[in-house]
Amino acid sequence: MSETAKEKTYSEAEITERLQKELPKWRYENGWIRRKYKTNSWKGTLMVINTVGHLAEAAWHHPDIAASYAFVEVKLMNHAAKGITDKDFELARKIEDVIQWQPGSEGGALEGTPHGDQRFAYIKYD
């Protein structure tokens, strides 16, 4: 998209509808779409931050991130467009897919982290 092209920004009603349909764990608040990921420790928090950072840099669309020992909050808003655009929804979807990925539940060769052993727990799936 060219620098001069104006991206469509969504109304609050449109944002709420899309979130309910496409990203039910995300919410709209104070001009941002947001999601809090609960982690089991600082290690998990850093893993989520690094994952979100990689996806955002690859997409060239950068969220605000708030972090604590046991959570990461991701906030998206298109600063250039001064609102929520398709870029926000698309990056939120990619973040959600990667952070919530549980390979052990897919039945393939990848087993995922051992369940029930807190030494390996890093994110609280919801």
Side-chain angles (χ1 to χ4, degrees):
M1 180 171 287
S2 73
E3 294 280 333
T4 58
K6 176 76 170 130
E7 294 180 74
K8 175 190 180 347
T9 57
Y10 289 89
S11 70
E12 187 170 346
E14 291 171 316
I15 294 164
T16 301
E17 182 180 336
R18 278 193 73 175
L19 291 177
Q20 287 173 352
K21 191 182 320 178
E22 300 170 29
L23 296 157
K25 302 286 185 184
W26 288 69
R27 71 187 193 284
Y28 179 72
E29 183 181 297
N30 297 328
W32 301 82
I33 60 171
R34 351 168 142 229
R35 167 79 148 99
K36 184 181 278 187
Y37 293 98
K38 295 178 182 173
T39 64
N40 284 310
S41 66
W42 184 241
K43 172 181 76 172
T45 294
L46 292 177
M47 291 172 73
V48 170
I49 291 169
N50 286 326
T51 300
V52 171
H54 166 73
L55 295 172
E57 190 63 20
W60 201 245
H61 187 55
H62 303 97
D64 279 19
I65 297 174
S68 185
Y69 177 81
F71 76 83
V72 176
E73 184 176 35
V74 179
K75 296 177 7 181
L76 289 163
M77 187 250 299
N78 188 322
H79 297 283
K82 297 180 175 64
I84 305 299
T85 68
D86 286 326
K87 287 181 179 179
D88 302 297
F89 288 110
E90 288 180 26
L91 183 55
R93 173 84 268 151
K94 181 56 73 177
I95 291 168
E96 189 71 7
D97 289 346
V98 174
I99 297 297
Q100 291 294 303
W101 181 48
Q102 296 180 60
S105 67
E106 296 176 349
L110 297 172
E111 297 172 15
T113 55
H115 295 289
D117 190 334
Q118 288 302 304
R119 294 176 301 160
F120 304 109
Y122 71 96
I123 190 163
K124 295 181 180 180
Y125 296 104
D126 50 15

